[in-house]
Amino acid sequence: MSSAKEPRTKLTIPTITTSQSTPQTPREQRKKKVVFKCALTNTISDVLTNREGWAQTQGDDWQFFWVTREWMTTCYDKHKFSEKQLICHFRNDFELTRKDFLIKNYKKARKAKEKSGVDVATEFNFIPSSYVLPAEYHLFVEEFRKYPTDTIWIMKPVAGAQGKGIFLFRKLKHVQEWKKKDSSGSEALPYVVQSYIHNPYLVGGKKFDVRIYVLVTSVSLLFFLLHFRPMNAWVHREGFARFSHSRYSTDSVDDAFVHLTNVAVAKTAADYDPERGLKWSLPKLMRFFKSMHGHSKVSKLMNDLAKVIIESLRSVQNLIIQDTHCFELYGYDILFDENLKPWLLEVNASPSLTASSQEDFELKYRVLNHMIDVLDIDKKLLGNENEVGGFDILVRNNKPVEICKVARHNQPFFTPQLNLRLGDYVEPTPMP
């Protein structure tokens, strides 16, 4: 998660071409200036500070405020929003981003689908078998006994980050010490336990997960009145794959360098090389997938992944308080298994905006700059765009957006495809 006190490294601000870069005279700039406030000192601060026609304030006259989680807890309910003010979180985004709430809402949506006749095993199956402990401990024990004795399970703190507190186990006795009260008598901290995805897709013998940026925009007041909680969701074409430090093996469940892909974990390895890092860009990963499996399988992967994003958002759609003053940039963490099936690991409400390298900085800078383009605070878009910068609209007013792609081989000439185009972004050449 992002922090207001994250250390800064001197990085070069990239040249970005955006939909907001129409030349303006100094007089026009003064008239149309957007006033912002920013509580962080990482990449988002750089983007806002260098945004043409934007000016910073320390007061309450802001139009755009990148707030902290603390502000949402202590100030949101007290703040009297003016008509044009916009902040970067929904009031109860934890319905999607806290692991226990994510699982609760997923199970509820899955049950509703099953009652309506949907084959959930094939149509709604993107989170491994999961239980929230200690509340569902007895249910978990019943489920545990149905699995082979060598099944691996993973435990995660419900509100943890950076791999802290995660451990794997095969036997119930390894959970007993966690379940017991400590010497002070306090209850064990809530955890999520899941069946471990034992067959992850490997590259060079290493497992990886993928970070995807999903932007959910606040709805206009008109739509809010006319529709039942309409949803607009955009997905950026850029992101990255994070690899484990060591080659994958199930021989040991105690080696975090084998099983976890968090950069914070990898950095603690004695032979970690910060220059090489452990990341691939999404364009590089998608090129690899296409070279190994062909375009049709990657198209199916893209459609399957789009459905995961859509269904996860729908599972909380009637729960999230959709204030017209709010938007959210979520960080989706996805793992692909050896069959290219996408599994949702978690959703982050505060994906890290601190760069680990110049390349990482430029990627996050583009994502954030394009995010502001989509939000269109200075009203330059038409409102019917399917793409803005590197963002593609995946859901518009509750309806999934499809595009027609030229088919390959013996398929119909045009085939409908959900509007997800990960890895398919090239920064336009700036005008001279």
Side-chain angles (χ1 to χ4, degrees):
M1 297 176 67
S2 299
S3 166
K5 296 184 179 180
E6 291 173 315
R8 300 303 314 277
T9 302
K10 186 66 176 178
L11 298 164
T12 304
I13 302 295
T15 301
I16 303 293
T17 302
T18 78
S19 62
Q20 305 280 343
S21 57
T22 305
Q24 296 177 321
T25 65
R27 185 176 181 180
E28 287 174 327
Q29 290 179 4
R30 285 195 297 273
K31 282 184 177 180
K32 299 181 179 181
K33 187 166 286 186
V34 174
V35 180
F36 74 88
K37 192 172 183 179
C38 186
L40 303 185
T41 56
N42 52 31
T43 311
I44 184 60
S45 176
D46 294 326
V47 169
L48 296 173
T49 302
N50 288 280
R51 184 91 178 168
E52 184 179 355
W54 286 49
Q56 190 166 11
T57 182
Q58 298 302 322
D60 289 331
D61 56 334
W62 48 268
Q63 293 164 261
F64 181 96
F65 188 6
W66 195 273
V67 301
T68 61
R69 306 304 309 181
E70 290 74 20
W71 190 94
M72 292 298 295
T73 301
T74 59
C75 302
Y76 176 87
D77 291 329
K78 302 173 185 176
H79 183 78
K80 293 182 179 179
F81 287 90
S82 65
E83 182 183 350
K84 295 182 179 180
Q85 288 189 321
L86 192 62
I87 61 172
C88 61
H89 291 297
F90 290 108
R91 177 66 179 86
N92 61 333
D93 55 15
F94 55 79
E95 294 284 356
L96 181 65
T97 60
R98 248 185 69 138
K99 298 179 185 72
D100 51 345
F101 283 86
L102 171 65
I103 288 168
K104 176 197 71 174
N105 294 320
Y106 169 78
K107 286 182 176 180
K108 185 177 179 181
R110 184 180 165 95
K111 190 173 183 180
K113 291 271 187 182
E114 193 170 23
K115 283 186 176 181
S116 66
V118 173
D119 181 3
V120 293
T122 58
E123 299 297 324
F124 198 90
N125 183 31
F126 54 86
I127 293 180
S129 179
S130 307
Y131 294 88
V132 179
L133 305 186
E136 296 181 321
Y137 180 76
H138 295 294
L139 290 174
F140 162 63
V141 171
E142 289 181 20
E143 183 75 5
F144 178 90
R145 288 171 177 161
K146 297 176 184 177
Y147 283 72
T149 56
D150 61 346
T151 300
I152 300 175
W153 298 81
I154 185 168
M155 291 273 286
K156 307 173 185 178
V158 298
Q162 298 183 332
K164 295 176 182 177
I166 296 177
F167 64 94
L168 281 66
F169 66 94
R170 285 191 174 97
K171 297 182 179 180
L172 272 179
K173 67 178 184 180
H174 297 144
V175 189
Q176 298 302 320
E177 290 304 315
W178 166 86
K179 186 175 179 290
K180 291 178 181 177
K181 295 181 179 181
D182 63 26
S183 57
S184 66
S186 62
E187 291 289 342
L189 294 174
Y191 262 64
V192 162
V193 60
Q194 296 178 312
S195 58
Y196 187 60
I197 300 168
H198 66 280
N199 61 335
Y201 193 102
L202 304 179
V203 176
K206 295 182 179 182
K207 68 177 288 189
F208 63 92
D209 66 6
V210 174
R211 167 60 57 84
I212 299 169
Y213 295 101
V214 178
L215 172 64
V216 177
T217 57
S218 56
V219 297
S220 70
L221 182 60
L222 175 64
F223 276 121
F224 187 72
L225 293 172
L226 294 180
H227 297 267
F228 182 66
R229 296 186 180 275
M231 178 173 64
N232 297 323
W234 301 72
V235 183
H236 204 277
R237 299 184 190 185
E238 293 193 273
F240 50 86
R242 300 175 299 189
F243 288 83
S244 61
H245 177 269
S246 303
R247 294 172 69 88
Y248 182 72
S249 170
T250 56
D251 292 343
S252 171
V253 295
D254 299 321
D255 192 341
F257 297 138
V258 169
H259 297 285
L260 303 185
T261 62
N262 307 79
V263 175
V265 172
K267 282 182 177 179
T268 63
D271 58 346
Y272 175 74
D273 184 351
E275 294 299 320
R276 292 184 62 188
L278 291 167
K279 288 184 179 180
W280 272 13
S281 68
L282 279 191
K284 184 174 182 178
L285 179 64
M286 292 303 156
R287 286 196 302 269
F288 176 83
F289 278 160
K290 288 174 183 176
S291 69
M292 296 297 292
H293 304 285
H295 286 266
S296 61
K297 283 193 176 181
V298 173
S299 292
K300 182 181 184 305
L301 173 155
M302 210 72 74
N303 240 32
D304 291 344
L305 180 52
K307 290 176 182 177
V308 169
I309 295 170
I310 292 169
E311 293 297 347
S312 64
L313 291 172
R314 282 178 172 170
S315 73
V316 298
Q317 186 176 356
N318 295 334
L319 300 171
I320 298 289
I321 300 170
Q322 294 196 32
D323 191 324
T324 57
H325 299 287
C326 305
F327 70 93
E328 193 96 42
L329 181 68
Y330 295 108
Y332 270 64
D333 289 343
I334 301 289
L335 184 142
F336 295 104
D337 67 21
E338 61 187 12
N339 300 311
L340 292 181
K341 175 180 171 58
W343 295 91
L344 177 59
L345 300 181
E346 65 177 316
V347 182
N348 299 274
S350 300
S352 174
L353 302 180
T354 299
S356 57
S357 66
Q358 179 66 31
E359 182 181 9
D360 192 45
F361 175 67
E362 291 180 8
L363 182 153
K364 290 174 179 175
Y365 195 100
R366 283 191 295 271
V367 170
L368 293 168
N369 215 39
H370 295 160
M371 173 197 73
I372 297 174
D373 289 349
V374 172
L375 296 174
D376 194 29
I377 295 171
D378 32 12
K379 306 300 180 188
K380 293 193 175 183
L381 300 180
L382 298 175
N384 60 351
E385 289 83 358
N386 281 344
E387 61 180 88
V388 176
F391 276 101
D392 297 293
I393 190 162
L394 181 60
V395 180
R396 178 184 280 120
N397 299 327
N398 283 344
K399 297 180 180 179
V401 176
E402 290 186 332
I403 56 174
C404 285
K405 298 189 73 174
V406 177
R408 295 173 179 270
H409 306 303
N410 297 322
Q411 298 176 344
F413 188 68
F414 290 105
T415 57
Q417 179 93 6
L418 289 169
N419 193 27
L420 185 66
R421 302 167 66 182
L422 295 180
D424 187 19
Y425 179 74
V426 177
E427 178 67 19
T429 303
M431 295 291 288

